[in-house]
């Protein structure tokens, strides 16, 4: 950490100043000239990681002072890429990838960074390799071979004959890189592992897991540590905790959930106030800081919920066993107890270690049936029916408060891919949020806000769930698009979420909410973890953190540990110093693992959806136009399958008008607008590119399947 502070000091010296020599830096930093060799070594290390650069006169400077930008490289299907910094994203065309691999940390130059429109960059140096392996399809020749990467790397990899490792032509393989190549020379590698047929979707998902450096399995020593944890709870431990076992506490989760980490209890008091207890699995009790299980969980950052499997943060002995709040079992929990008045204001908050015994493992489905007064379900759970209606009452009060302050409810359709015993898609199902889902969401948000506010005012270093205000430029671009639907945002600088809320509500009434929701969502910044309490724009919340899911999110486990320190007084000097130094690093890491998880979850779903659509070639679907580019109209079917029509395959000529945001048939004058409903036929499903091509039913007779020359 001392080195980091030294680097920070040097960066502040170099900011806005001219480049400096080693001697000038030594003097400015107050280093001893006697250690010139050590000082030079330290600067060379910072050159390697891209924190510093040298100019033509061999002086040290910051990359940004020399016109370079450092960021994370994200390859999009090998066609183009983006490099993301903390504040900006830069488009990288295919020809300017250099040797960058998906996930690498790179330095780029940017064309006309002050200009308007899309900022385009070029990779000039790879600073940190995210991984040393690439997945691809093997092409075997007599004396050598090539691997054509699948999406994650933009160049073919040369494989010498002695490194084939018995791989067959056309197989999906894992390549260990020997050389990353250059502009003149191809990258070179050796085949490390054979996965199998490239378009078997099970193999594709295995490849996806390997590509992202993830694993379903845990190291043996981690599993051994998990198995050594006592399953029974000692009477001594129960005595240290608040005993809530006499309360009818319940869990409410999806039908197939196995890691039950939150339980709830509500009571309406005689004075009209509500007592809400949110009891969360006390994972921190079982996982000491620095243990093998802790280090593995930190590395993973979160569980990953793929279409056909889960990559858990903890072994199942913990996630589905010891820590899961299974019914009628004594379980250790960390509880937040809130006293809430009839207007939804929190009058008192208590946080404490507890022991519970849930009376029922409730599902969203069954709670929704009780609320709908289904006779059979009501009779089965008659002991908690009154509490469920009290929960609903409190949930609606909390929801009204969130609504009044401007919290955005992104009720976007979610598709569940239902698989059969052979992992083939049986059907696609739209997941709808009922009252039970909203009850749990409202209670968890309230618990998270209460914990965040408590830690903030105690002035203890902590982890916050940060969702910053949107960038004014992106809001301006959004405004131009929303104008096509008759909406206008007047202030780009100081926008309030309430404005978005009102647009979403109005769009719902007009039946275009799906498109408007997505456009607004894409204009907002991505939520992340951080040490500064910058609030949560989307929830219109001044204090927010993640406390409620420590089985599947490392952030929540950290909050449990910090809250435990707070419950015993103020941190010691040593604890305070550890938190201050450690939290910035770990929050950056878990923000990154979360993004990676979202990417792999989405792609696994897409693999299965495209496989499902292979059997639907020639079938007709009702669809909505959701976007355009220069050559394509993008649709979403009623089942929420994304597909596109390539207008260059049609007989007439089309041009995209980006000012009016419409696709125009230049021969007839017909226009296609966002939100237009159409019948489409599925023309092609491509597992290699993970895309589905369609054509409007009315034009299917003229579909060529190939591209025409454009007429200008």
């Amino acid at each position: 950490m001392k080195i980091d502070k030294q680097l920070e000091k040097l960066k502040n010296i170099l900011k806005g100043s001219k480049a400096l020599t080693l001697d000038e830096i030594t003097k400015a930093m107050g280093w001893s000239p006697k250690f010139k060799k050590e000082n030079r070594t330290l600067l060379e290390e910072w050159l390697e990681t891209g924190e510093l650069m040298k100019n033509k006169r061999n002086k040290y400077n910051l990359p940004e002072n020399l016109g370079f930008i450092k960021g994370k490289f994200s390859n999009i299907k090998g066609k183009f890429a983006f490099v993301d910094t903390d504040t900006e994203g830069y488009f990288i065309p295919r020809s300017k990838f250099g040797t960058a691999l998906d996930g690498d940390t790179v330095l780029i130059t940017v064309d006309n960074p002050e200009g308007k429109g899309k900022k385009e960059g070029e990779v000039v140096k790879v600073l940190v390799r995210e991984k040393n392996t690439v997945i691809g399809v093997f092409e075997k020749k007599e004396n050598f071979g090539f691997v054509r990467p699948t999406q994650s790397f933009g160049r073919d990899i040369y494989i010498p004959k002695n490194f084939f490792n018995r791989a067959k032509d056309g197989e999906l393989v894992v390549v260990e890189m020997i050389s990353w190549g250059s502009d003149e020379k191809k990258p070179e590698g050796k085949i490390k592992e054979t996965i199998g047929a490239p378009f078997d979707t099970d193999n594709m998902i295995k490849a996806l897991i390997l590509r992202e450096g993830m694993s379903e399995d845990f190291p043996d020593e981690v599993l051994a540590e998990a198995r050594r944890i006592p399953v029974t709870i000692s009477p001594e431990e129960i005595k240290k905790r608040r005993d809530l076992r006499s309360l009818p506490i319940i869990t409410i989760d999806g039908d197939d959930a196995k890691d039950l980490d939150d339980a709830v209890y509500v009571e309406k008091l005689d004075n009209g106030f509500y007592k809400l207890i949110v009891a969360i699995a006390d994972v921190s009790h079982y996982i000491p800081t620095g243990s093998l299980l802790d280090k593995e969980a930190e590395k993973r950052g979160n569980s990953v919920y793929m279409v056909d499997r889960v990559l858990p943060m903890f072994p199942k002995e913990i996630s589905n066993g010891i820590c899961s709040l299974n019914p009628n079992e004594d379980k250790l929990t960390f509880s937040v107890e809130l006293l809430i008045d009839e207007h939804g204001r929190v009058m008192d908050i208590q946080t404490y270690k507890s022991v519970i015994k849930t009376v029922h493992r409730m599902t969203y489905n069954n709670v929704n049936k009780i609320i709908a007064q289904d006779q059979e379900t009501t009779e089965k759970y008659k002991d908690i029916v009154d509490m469920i209606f009290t929960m609903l009452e409190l949930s609606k009060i909390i929801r009204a408060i969130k609504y009044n302050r401007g919290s955005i409810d992104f009720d976007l359709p979610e598709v569940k891919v239902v698989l059969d015993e052979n992992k083939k898609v049986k059907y696609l199902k739209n997941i709808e949020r009922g009252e039970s889902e909203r009850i749990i969401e409202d209670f968890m948000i309230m618990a998270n806000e209460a914990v965040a506010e408590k830690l903030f005012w105690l002035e203890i270093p902590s982890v916050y769930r940060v969702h910053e205000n949107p960038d004014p430029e992106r809001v301006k671009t959004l405004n131009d698009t929303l104008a096509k639907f008759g909406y206008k945002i007047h202030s780009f600088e100081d926008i309030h979420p309430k404005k978005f809320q009102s647009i979403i509500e109005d769009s719902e009434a007009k039946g275009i909410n799906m498109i408007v929701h997505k456009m607004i969502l894409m204009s907002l910044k991505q939520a992340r973890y951080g040490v500064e309490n910058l609030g949560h724009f989307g929830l219109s919340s001044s204090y927010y953190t993640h406390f409620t899911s420590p089985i599947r999110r490392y952030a929540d486990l950290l909050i449990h540990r910090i809250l435990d320190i707070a419950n015993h007084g103020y941190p010691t000097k040593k604890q305070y110093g550890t938190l201050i130094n450690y939290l910035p690093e770990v929050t950056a890491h878990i923000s990154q693992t979360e993004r990676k998880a979202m990417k792999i979850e989405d792609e696994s779903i897409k693999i299965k959806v495209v496989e499902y659509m292979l059997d639907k070639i020639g079938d007709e679907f009702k669809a909505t136009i959701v976007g355009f580019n220069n050559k394509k109209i993008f649709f979403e079917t009623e089942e929420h399958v994304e597909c596109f029509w390539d207008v260059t395959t049609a007989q007439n000529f089309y041009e995209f008008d980006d000012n009016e945001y419409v696709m125009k048939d230049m021969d007839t004058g017909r226009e296609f607008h966002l939100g237009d409903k159409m019948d489409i036929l599925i023309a092609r499903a491509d597992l290699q590119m993970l895309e589905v091509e369609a054509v409007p039913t009315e034009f299917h007779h003229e579909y060529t399947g190939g591209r025409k020359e454009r007429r200008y």
Side-chain angles (χ1 to χ4, degrees), residues 52-67:
L52 301 178
M53 289 189 78
K54 279 185 177 179
N55 65 12
K56 290 176 182 175
R57 297 174 65 192
N58 226 26
K59 289 185 176 185
Y60 297 91
N61 208 335
L62 296 176
E64 51 264 42
N65 288 349
L66 298 170

Side-chain angles (χ1 to χ4, degrees), residues 215 217-219 222 291-301 313-315 554:
S215 175
D217 304 316
F218 287 86
V222 173
S291 63
L292 293 174
L293 281 161
D294 181 50
K295 286 175 181 173
E296 183 69 20
E298 180 190 44
K299 179 181 151 192
R300 292 178 180 234
M313 190 171 82
F314 287 113
Y554 196 72

Side-chain angles (χ1 to χ4, degrees), residues 390-427:
T390 306
M391 285 180 173
L392 179 62
E393 197 177 295
L394 176 58
S395 171
K396 287 184 174 178
I397 293 169
I398 295 169
R399 217 174 302 162
I401 284 189
K402 286 196 305 176
Y403 176 81
N404 289 333
R405 75 187 185 202
S407 176
I408 307 169
D409 184 10
F410 285 108
D411 195 8
L412 288 168
E414 194 180 340
V415 179
K416 182 175 175 64
V417 180
V418 180
L419 304 177
D420 63 20
E421 60 278 3
N422 300 314
K423 292 189 177 180
K424 296 292 182 188
V425 182
K426 278 169 78 175
Y427 57 89

Side-chain angles (χ1 to χ4, degrees), residues 150-305:
T150 54
Q151 302 181 28
S152 62
F153 189 46
R155 309 175 74 197
D156 293 349
I157 301 157
Y158 174 76
I159 310 291
K161 188 174 183 178
N162 56 325
F163 291 142
F164 284 5
N165 196 14
R166 296 190 296 279
K168 295 173 186 169
D169 185 54
E171 284 189 312
L172 195 61
V173 295
V174 182
V175 177
E176 187 179 317
M177 299 302 294
I178 297 169
S179 153
W180 294 99
S182 62
D183 289 342
E184 296 80 33
K185 190 181 175 188
K186 275 190 178 293
E188 191 173 317
K190 57 183 177 182
I191 294 173
K192 183 181 169 187
E193 185 182 338
T194 299
I195 300 170
F199 300 121
D200 175 296
T201 56
D202 194 48
N203 289 341
M204 291 176 75
I205 290 173
K206 282 179 193 167
L208 178 58
I209 294 167
L210 287 166
R211 191 187 84 196
E212 296 302 327
M214 295 180 177
S215 175
E216 292 180 73
D217 304 316
F218 287 86
D220 290 343
E221 60 272 23
V222 173
L223 289 172
E225 190 174 87
R227 286 163 190 154
R228 285 196 296 271
I229 296 172
V231 178
T232 55
I233 302 168
S234 69
E236 292 75 30
E237 184 57 42
I238 288 174
K239 281 177 190 171
K240 295 178 192 172
R241 294 168 176 260
R242 197 174 297 188
D243 195 337
L244 306 178
R245 288 177 294 176
S246 62
L247 298 177
I249 295 179
I250 59 172
T251 57
I252 308 176
D253 292 274
D255 289 1
D256 50 2
K258 293 182 179 68
D259 49 352
L260 315 177
D261 54 9
D262 55 85
V264 288
Y265 167 80
V266 172
E267 179 186 342
K268 191 166 186 179
L269 307 176
D270 292 341
N271 63 358
F273 286 14
Y274 297 86
K275 181 200 282 186
L276 166 64
I277 297 176
V278 176
I280 305 299
D282 188 7
V283 180
S284 62
H285 173 78
Y286 296 102
I287 312 294
T289 302
S291 63
L292 293 174
L293 281 161
D294 181 50
K295 286 175 181 173
E296 183 69 20
E298 180 190 44
K299 179 181 151 192
R300 292 178 180 234
N302 41 259
S303 297
V304 183
Y305 294 86

Side-chain angles (χ1 to χ4, degrees), residues 205 259 513 530 599 662:
I205 290 173
D259 49 352
N513 55 313
K599 177 180 173 183
V662 296

